[in-house]
Amino acid sequence: GDPVRAILQATGGLGADRVVEAVGLPLTFLQALQCAARFGQVVFLGNIRGQLAISEKDVSSILRRELTIQGTWNSRFHPAGHNDWTTVLEYMERGLRIAELVSHTPTLDQGPEIFRRLVSGELGSYGKIVFRISGER
């Protein structure tokens, strides 16, 4: 379905306080902006592919909602033609077992508690924490 509509519906039309775009598509960049709440924070993480055009209506909405937009870099692309993502895929083809690096798979609704335990040190030893969107394992 439409993620913007789903988020607005789930929040009673308010939108999300914090949105992270990690896909890298022009559509998901726009969706991240559109589902943010008033005074919301949007973090662009995905390495964008394609042309991003923000309409006058969306720019006006960003201004009126007083959004904070940040960018962060999540990988490297040097030397040319090599990046962190293709390097990981190459190692996976050579037998790197990714599943063993994941130490915890909580559901998304357990997020606040997991982060509280991380900050307090209660979580103990952990590797990679991957949140499940649904109850599936």
Side-chain angles (χ1 to χ4, degrees):
D2 179 352
V4 175
R5 181 178 296 143
I7 289 168
L8 292 175
Q9 188 173 37
T11 60
L14 297 175
D17 292 330
R18 290 176 184 84
V19 181
V20 177
E21 191 294 325
V23 177
L25 297 175
L27 175 63
T28 55
F29 269 67
L30 291 174
Q31 290 170 333
L33 294 169
Q34 293 166 350
C35 69
R38 182 168 175 80
F39 304 114
Q41 178 184 18
V42 178
V43 177
F44 290 143
L45 171 71
N47 294 319
I48 194 161
R49 297 272 188 204
Q51 294 296 314
L52 174 62
I54 302 176
S55 71
E56 181 179 332
K57 178 183 173 186
D58 282 327
V59 170
S60 179
S61 180
I62 291 165
L63 299 175
R64 290 179 187 276
R65 288 180 292 139
E66 301 183 56
L67 300 182
T68 299
I69 301 171
Q70 293 179 259
T72 187
W73 193 243
N74 67 0
S75 60
R76 61 187 169 86
F77 284 82
H78 184 74
H82 295 282
N83 62 62
D84 293 341
W85 306 109
T86 56
T87 300
V88 169
L89 291 174
E90 289 171 12
Y91 277 99
M92 287 174 68
E93 287 176 359
R94 294 182 199 169
L96 176 66
R97 294 183 306 269
I98 300 296
E100 295 174 14
L101 302 175
V102 177
S103 62
H104 297 76
T105 56
T107 59
L108 197 55
D109 63 339
Q110 294 171 310
E113 177 63 14
I114 291 293
F115 284 111
R116 185 195 66 74
R117 291 177 61 201
L118 275 168
V119 170
S120 70
E122 293 175 41
L123 192 59
S125 177
Y126 63 92
K128 186 79 164 172
I129 299 171
V130 176
F131 288 96
R132 292 179 283 125
I133 302 301
S134 68
E136 297 177 15
R137 281 212 161 262

